[in-house]
Amino acid sequence: MSQPLSASRTTAPPCVVRDCCSWRTAPPLSLVDAYFPPAVSTRCPRLAEPAPLAEGTTHYIQQCTGRAPAQGTDVTMARLAIAAETEALGLPAAAAVVTTFHYARDHAGTPLFCEVGVTPAELWEDTQTYRMG
């Protein structure tokens, strides 16, 4: 990826942004930017480092803050990819992507993080199991 996707987005400091890719082959399968509010990022300094967190981001946040996710909200939509995404994902111009916004809050309802995932439309699938009747 020539430039992190966060460079094309506006973020109010001192929010910490992590750019990640899901790799199985080149180009990556998906792109993810994770946003952390100051109440989390100031207590979790490794979030500002580019290296993956071996213990996982959610576990690391819980270790540092004592706060665990209790509620998640996912918002998913289809759209056309921006130029930086088509380049990073190896897609043709005007390719469709699916964007998922994953918001996590603790037991008090306070935000812990927001992840924005971008996946090529042909790789995206949503399966839900639910009770009926």
Side-chain angles (χ1 to χ4, degrees):
M1 184 158 60
S2 63
Q3 143 185 10
L5 293 181
S6 59
S8 64
R9 297 189 178 101
T10 302
T11 307
C15 179
V16 169
V17 180
R18 289 177 61 84
D19 294 312
C20 308
C21 294
S22 296
W23 295 90
R24 242 191 282 170
T25 60
L29 297 175
S30 65
L31 307 172
V32 179
D33 286 345
Y35 298 82
F36 304 93
V40 172
S41 62
T42 56
R43 297 184 62 194
C44 304
R46 288 175 47 214
L47 292 175
E49 298 173 6
L53 301 170
E55 67 271 48
T57 305
T58 302
H59 187 70
Y60 173 65
I61 290 171
Q62 187 173 356
Q63 285 177 322
C64 293
T65 67
R67 297 167 53 199
Q71 179 186 26
T73 302
D74 292 347
V75 178
T76 303
M77 64 188 74
R79 62 175 176 78
L80 294 178
I82 62 173
E85 293 165 341
T86 58
E87 181 183 340
L89 293 168
L91 299 172
V97 293
V98 175
T99 301
T100 301
F101 295 85
H102 171 66
Y103 303 95
R105 293 175 180 79
D106 65 14
H107 291 281
T110 306
L112 288 172
F113 59 86
C114 173
E115 295 176 343
V116 182
V118 178
T119 303
E122 64 271 10
L123 298 179
W124 185 80
E125 179 179 310
D126 181 29
T127 303
Q128 298 179 26
T129 303
Y130 51 92
R131 296 182 64 102
M132 296 178 65

